[in-house]
Each structure stands twice: as C-alpha cells, then as structure tokens.
C-alpha cells in the first residue's frame, strides 16, 4: 500500500468522524433549543384565572349608606368606554388613601347645589372632568345645547345625580327644560339683587 492510498483512507475516515460529530452536536443543540422554546412558550401563554375577586363597590358601601343602602342609577349597569370594565365607585370617586377612614377628604365629591352657600371641595371644572372621561362633550353638545353653555360653569351634578332611582333629566319634556332654566337663573338674579342691596363695607 502506497502513501497515497494511506492518505486517502485517513482523509475519508477523518471526514466521516467529523460529520458524525457535527450531526450529533446539532441534534443535541436542536433538542435543547426545542425544550427551551417549549418552556418559554408555556411560561408566556399561561394565564391564571382569578376567581372570587372582591366586589369593589362593597368596600365603599360598608360605610356609605345611600337610598336605604341601595345604589341606583344607570352607572351600575354600564362599562367604562375607555377600559371596557364595569363602572364602580372608584371609577368616578377615585381611589382612597389609608387615612380615608379617619376623615381625610381624598376622593372626588360631587357638589350639585350651587345655592346652598357652601364652597365645594372641587370646582365645577374638576368635577366635570370626571364625567367627561366617559361622556364626550361633543356628543353632549349635539344632544342638548345647554351642555355646551354650562360645561365649565356649572357642575354636571347640578342637573344630574350619580345614584338616582329615576333620573330627572331622562326623557324630560321641553316645557320642563324651560322651567329649569327659568328657576335656576331666577334664583341667580335674586341673589345678585339681594347682594346689591347690602351696604358696601368699603364705603363705610
């Protein structure tokens, strides 16, 4: 056997061994990668099902009583158009702090009576921004022009209430609308006239 034949057999043997080692290594890598991918896929697609979650309204209703412990109104059956989740107390009033039970005024309070002489905790603009989060001003304007006129001057709660058993503004007749305008602006005019009659302290 000459040198050429020995070299040829050695070369073929080396190539065969190299191919076998490469194939074995690639197979092992593929198996490892498949196992890793399967583990990652299982981790990413796992969605825990949370059941028996606490009713978010129940926590508030334990202390706040309304209409003989019954909260009424369309808000209880609607969903937030921004999140698609059911509307609850926190949706409108905001989250409470740890000191809420101690009397800290940390939630939105809607003050509708503009003639009671009290200074509301939140301005009409601040109160109405909560409503505008769901009720779009453009649509309200199209529905009734008075929404546009009073949007930043009067709290929505002056005409609408959050938890009514029967919404006084729903299906209201045109004559009743006119009476609301006359009554409200009549009170405002009477208050201005009464203040005008009072002596000015600066001139005394």
């Amino acid at each position: 056997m000459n040198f050429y034949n020995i070299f040829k057999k050695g070369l073929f043997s080396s190539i065969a061994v190299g191919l076998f080692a490469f194939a074995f290594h690639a197979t092992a890598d593929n198996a490892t990668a498949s196992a890793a991918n399967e583990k990652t896929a299982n981790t990413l697609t796992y969605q825990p099902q949370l059941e028996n979650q606490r009713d978010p309204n129940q926590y508030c209703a334990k202390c706040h009583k309304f209409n003989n412990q019954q909260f009424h109104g369309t808000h209880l059956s609607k969903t937030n158009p921004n999140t698609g989740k059911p509307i609850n107390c926190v949706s409108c009033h905001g989250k409470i702090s740890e000191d809420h039970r101690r009397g800290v005024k940390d939630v939105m309070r809607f003050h509708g009576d503009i003639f009671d002489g009290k200074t509301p905790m939140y301005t009409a603009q601040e109160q109405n921004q909560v409503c505008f989060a769901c009720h779009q001003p453009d649509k309200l304007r199209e529905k009734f022009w008075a929404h546009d006129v009073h949007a930043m001057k009067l709290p929505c709660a002056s005409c609408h209430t959050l938890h009514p058993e029967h919404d006084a503004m729903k299906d209201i007749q045109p004559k009743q609308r006119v009476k609301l305008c006359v009554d409200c602006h009549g009170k405002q005019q009477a208050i201005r006239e009464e203040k005008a009659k009072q002596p000015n302290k600066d001139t005394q």
Side-chain angles (χ1 to χ4, degrees):
M1 184 179 291
N2 59 27
F3 174 78
Y4 176 75
N5 289 333
I6 295 173
F7 175 77
K8 186 176 179 181
K9 286 184 178 181
L11 179 63
F12 284 144
S13 298
S14 299
I15 292 174
V17 171
L19 289 175
F20 176 77
F22 177 78
F24 178 79
H25 184 70
T27 303
D29 285 347
N30 288 337
T32 303
S34 298
N37 290 336
E38 183 179 353
K39 183 178 180 181
T40 303
N42 290 338
T43 302
L44 293 177
T45 58
Y46 173 69
Q47 295 293 335
Q49 299 298 320
L50 301 179
E51 299 178 356
N52 300 322
Q53 296 188 65
R54 179 173 59 83
D55 181 357
N57 294 323
Q58 186 178 9
Y59 186 78
C60 303
K62 285 181 179 178
C63 294
H64 297 279
K65 308 300 180 185
F66 190 87
N67 290 345
N68 194 25
Q69 300 186 12
Q70 295 295 319
F71 289 84
H72 300 287
T74 186
H75 289 110
L76 296 176
S77 61
K78 299 294 183 180
T79 57
N80 187 320
N82 302 310
T83 63
K85 296 181 179 180
I87 294 175
N88 53 47
C89 301
V90 173
S91 302
C92 298
H93 295 285
K95 295 181 179 180
I96 64 174
S97 70
E98 295 180 358
D99 297 323
H100 184 75
R101 287 177 177 270
R102 300 184 181 92
V104 174
K105 312 299 184 183
D106 55 356
V107 295
M108 171 57 67
R109 295 180 178 232
F110 297 92
H111 188 98
D113 190 350
I114 61 174
F115 299 113
D116 63 0
K118 299 179 181 178
T119 302
M121 185 179 299
Y122 297 95
T123 65
Q125 294 88 342
E126 290 171 328
Q127 294 181 52
N128 293 352
Q129 287 301 325
V130 177
C131 305
F132 294 157
C134 293
H135 301 278
Q136 299 302 316
D138 291 342
K139 293 183 179 179
L140 293 174
R141 184 187 301 116
E142 293 174 4
K143 194 168 186 178
F144 185 44
W145 61 267
H147 287 119
D148 187 45
V149 176
H150 298 99
M152 290 295 118
K153 298 179 181 178
L154 197 68
C156 298
S158 295
C159 295
H160 303 277
T161 50
L162 289 175
H163 310 292
E165 187 170 3
H166 302 288
D167 188 353
M169 296 296 106
K170 188 175 183 180
D171 301 325
I172 187 171
Q173 298 300 314
K175 287 185 178 180
Q176 292 175 304
R177 288 180 178 177
V178 172
K179 185 178 184 305
L180 285 176
C181 299
V182 171
D183 289 348
C184 186
H185 286 274
K187 287 182 180 179
Q188 287 181 318
Q189 182 62 30
I191 291 174
R192 283 195 291 266
E193 291 177 356
E194 186 64 28
K195 287 183 177 180
K197 293 178 182 179
Q198 296 177 0
N200 192 336
K201 293 182 180 180
D202 295 336
T203 58
Q204 292 181 351

